[in-house]
Amino acid sequence: LPSKRLCFYRWMAMSAATDGGWMSEHDIYPLHVESSTPKNMFVLPNNGRLTIYENNLNHGAFPSLVSGSSAEWNRVTAALLEYVPQHEGEMFHDVRALGQLNIERPKSFELVDGV
C-alpha cells in the first residue's frame, strides 16, 4: 500500500512549483500540445486551469499528462488528499481519487482527450 501513496507525492511536488507547469508519466511525450512552440512555451492551456489530457472512462481521468497553474495544482491536490483517509487500508491511488472527485464535484478540472 505505501507504493500507492507515492502517486500523491507527484501532485504535492507540482503544488510546490511556484509557476505551476506540466506533469507527465515517464513514457508520455506530448506531440500535439498547442503551447509547445517556443513563443508559447510557458503559456499553460485553458488559462492555467488544471487540465488532464487522458480520459479514462472507468475512472473519469488518468493523469498521464496534466497541466495547471500553481493555484490550480494546490486546489486539486488538496481536494484529492481529502479522499485518502476515507480509503485507509485500500488500494487507493490518484486515479481513483480523480474519479471520485469527478463524480462528487464535476467540472473540478478540465478533461480533454489528448493523449
Side-chain angles (χ1 to χ4, degrees), residues 6 8 17-18 20-21 25 28 36 41 53-54 58 61 67 81 86 89 99-100 103 106 109 111:
L6 295 175
F8 294 99
T18 57
E25 295 285 338
I28 298 295
S36 62
M41 188 175 195
Y53 296 88
E54 187 169 358
N58 294 325
S67 68
L81 291 176
Q86 298 173 18
Q100 191 169 346
I103 290 167
F109 50 85
L111 182 57

Side-chain angles (χ1 to χ4, degrees), residues 10-80:
R10 61 187 181 165
W11 289 85
M12 291 184 277
M14 288 304 301
S15 294
T18 57
D19 294 328
W22 294 84
M23 176 179 79
S24 71
E25 295 285 338
H26 69 279
D27 56 353
I28 298 295
Y29 187 81
L31 296 175
H32 305 288
V33 176
E34 290 179 27
S35 61
S36 62
T37 60
K39 177 182 171 190
N40 297 324
M41 188 175 195
F42 299 104
V43 177
L44 294 168
N46 298 315
N47 295 318
R49 182 159 164 76
L50 195 100
T51 303
I52 300 174
Y53 296 88
E54 187 169 358
N55 189 353
N56 180 338
L57 298 177
N58 294 325
H59 299 288
F62 189 80
S64 59
L65 182 63
V66 186
S67 68
S69 68
S70 178
E72 284 291 285
W73 281 105
N74 279 295
R75 181 183 64 79
V76 175
T77 299
L80 296 178

Side-chain angles (χ1 to χ4, degrees), residues 100-112:
Q100 191 169 346
L101 179 63
N102 201 28
I103 290 167
E104 293 179 8
R105 298 183 230 171
K107 308 282 186 196
S108 291
F109 50 85
E110 295 292 322
L111 182 57
V112 296

